[in-house]
Amino acid sequence: MKIQFKPIIFAKPRNNKINNSNSNSIRYRYNLNSDVVFFKGKSLAQQAKNLPKDAFLSDGLREYILENIDTKNLIDLHKEYYAPLLDCQTLEEAKELYPEFSSVVDVKNLDLKNASYFLRQVSKGKIKGLTRENVTLEFLKKYIAQLETIENQERSYFNLYASTVKKILESLNISLDKRYSRLIKIGKISKSNSKFWQDDEKRALQAEITRSYWQDEAFRLKVSASMGSSEYKAKHSVVMKDNWKKDEFKISFQIAQIAKKIASLKYQNSQEDLTCKNSNIEIAKIQKEILTNWGFYDKNRDLKKILELAYSLEPY
């Protein structure tokens, strides 16, 4: 695999103070056309653009996504397009609004003798909130409009196991193309990871767990050995190549590097003995303090403004 990047060219502020009146956007230039990645992995937006027409539920959905995918993520666009479905009161109304659901099966028209046990229970009024008249519409809303995950989400689907939900959806002819649903799944994972690391409590808890692991010598030796393996190096290479396609990662890296440079200088100015074995640990602590003061770990952080601040303080 071959990967080629053209460096981001950042225009540094002319002085060491930030002009607040002009801080709405960071002054940097990035040539997207030269960010050429020569391997299979592509951004989620690009993968969505490359999907064939028949991977989308309708031409309308496809057009809406392709028109906005450069400014919004796939999941949000999908939910926006199908938001009116949540207001539908009947399946007939949903089909009129979205013709792509014309072949969806209405349970009230089914012969329930051969239907699943769950649908038979619904018809008997045994499932709270569901009736024979609305059950199809409810599954359509959850699976399509809300993109509710099936696996490990029993509560979302009336306490049913994933295997049962899949069978019901199949019997009702409700589905998403595998190529499209794969991108939705990737998008959910990415969104979940992003939310996790923006949560101060969860991040602190994870840090504490990690520290406890690294205090175990057997664990340290095991990890060190695995990190030296060719398999680990290959996986790490793929992950890093994928990260470097993301602007957020690139900007975060720039900020962290400047903070580390400042932390190193602060440490050197405060220590007489620079041969201290724990120097890297101390520098890392100072770096974290700097990043915290800059708001790098805040939930609603503005990376562009933080980068501008970092450049204004960067030692030359």
Side-chain angles (χ1 to χ4, degrees):
M1 289 187 288
K2 179 181 178 183
I3 184 165
Q4 173 185 329
F5 288 106
K6 183 173 180 179
I8 305 175
I9 303 174
F10 292 90
K12 298 182 181 179
R14 294 181 180 178
N15 52 57
N16 290 334
K17 294 182 179 180
I18 297 177
N19 183 354
N20 292 327
S21 63
N22 192 31
S23 62
N24 291 331
S25 61
I26 187 69
R27 297 191 299 276
Y28 71 95
R29 181 165 55 88
Y30 179 55
N31 188 346
L32 289 174
N33 294 327
S34 66
D35 183 21
V36 183
V37 182
F38 294 98
F39 69 108
K40 191 174 181 180
K42 296 178 182 178
S43 69
L44 192 60
Q46 187 58 50
Q47 290 184 65
K49 292 177 183 178
N50 292 342
L51 282 176
K53 289 184 177 181
D54 62 349
F56 296 86
L57 279 171
S58 69
D59 290 340
L61 174 64
R62 178 175 179 271
E63 291 174 7
Y64 186 75
I65 288 175
L66 295 186
E67 285 176 2
N68 300 283
I69 194 62
D70 289 324
T71 57
K72 292 185 178 181
N73 67 70
L74 179 62
I75 293 175
D76 288 344
L77 290 173
H78 178 101
K79 289 184 176 180
E80 286 176 9
Y81 186 80
Y82 285 111
L85 176 60
L86 297 173
D87 295 325
C88 291
Q89 300 299 312
T90 65
L91 183 60
E92 289 74 16
E93 184 183 350
K95 289 184 176 183
E96 184 177 352
L97 193 60
Y98 298 101
E100 56 265 40
F101 301 138
S102 60
S103 61
V104 170
V105 177
D106 194 335
V107 172
K108 70 181 181 182
N109 298 325
L110 280 179
D111 180 359
L112 294 179
K113 291 181 180 180
N114 298 319
S116 69
Y117 173 77
F118 175 77
L119 292 180
R120 293 200 302 273
Q121 289 295 98
V122 168
S123 67
K124 295 176 182 179
K126 297 295 181 69
I127 308 299
K128 186 178 179 180
L130 293 181
T131 64
R132 192 170 177 177
E133 286 70 28
N134 74 0
V135 63
T136 299
L137 180 61
E138 289 304 312
F139 272 90
L140 189 64
K141 287 180 178 180
K142 287 182 179 295
Y143 188 68
I144 300 297
Q146 296 174 311
L147 289 176
E148 291 282 4
T149 303
I150 296 177
E151 287 78 9
N152 302 317
Q153 293 290 336
E154 289 83 0
R155 290 184 180 180
S156 297
Y157 285 95
F158 314 104
N159 295 315
L160 294 173
Y161 289 114
S163 57
T164 303
V165 174
K166 290 177 181 179
K167 288 179 181 178
I168 292 174
L169 290 172
E170 184 179 356
S171 69
L172 300 179
N173 202 25
I174 298 174
S175 66
L176 288 172
D177 183 272
K178 289 183 178 180
R179 295 161 294 182
Y180 185 84
S181 60
R182 171 183 166 275
L183 295 190
I184 293 294
K185 185 175 182 179
I186 294 173
K188 285 184 176 182
I189 293 173
S190 176
K191 208 169 185 179
S192 176
N193 289 341
S194 177
K195 286 183 178 180
F196 177 89
W197 290 110
Q198 288 178 3
D199 188 304
D200 295 337
E201 292 184 4
K202 289 182 179 179
R203 192 170 61 245
L205 177 60
Q206 184 60 48
E208 186 62 34
I209 293 173
T210 302
R211 278 195 294 272
S212 67
Y213 283 155
W214 280 101
Q215 288 172 359
D216 186 328
E217 184 177 359
F219 176 82
R220 291 199 303 271
L221 292 174
K222 182 179 178 180
V223 172
S224 297
S226 65
M227 290 177 70
S229 69
S230 57
E231 183 181 358
Y232 172 83
K233 291 178 180 178
K235 289 182 178 179
H236 181 70
S237 176
V238 172
V239 171
M240 290 306 296
K241 287 172 182 177
D242 184 55
N243 283 337
W244 276 105
K245 291 183 293 179
K246 305 171 184 175
D247 288 344
E248 182 176 354
F249 178 85
K250 296 173 185 176
I251 297 175
S252 296
F253 180 81
Q254 294 283 335
I255 294 170
Q257 287 300 100
I258 296 173
K260 185 176 182 179
K261 188 185 297 185
I262 296 173
S264 297
L265 288 176
K266 284 190 174 184
Y267 178 77
Q268 291 172 17
N269 293 332
S270 64
Q271 298 292 322
E272 294 182 2
D273 180 11
L274 297 180
T275 62
C276 175
K277 292 183 179 180
N278 294 325
S279 60
N280 289 334
I281 295 177
E282 294 304 317
I283 290 173
K285 288 180 179 179
I286 299 172
Q287 179 190 20
K288 185 176 180 180
E289 290 176 3
I290 293 171
L291 291 173
T292 300
N293 291 334
W294 288 353
F296 184 78
Y297 301 114
D298 293 350
K299 292 181 181 179
N300 300 317
R301 65 184 185 179
D302 187 329
L303 285 177
K304 292 180 179 179
K305 288 184 179 180
I306 296 173
L307 181 62
E308 187 171 0
L309 171 61
Y311 270 130
S312 72
L313 300 173
E314 181 184 16
Y316 296 98

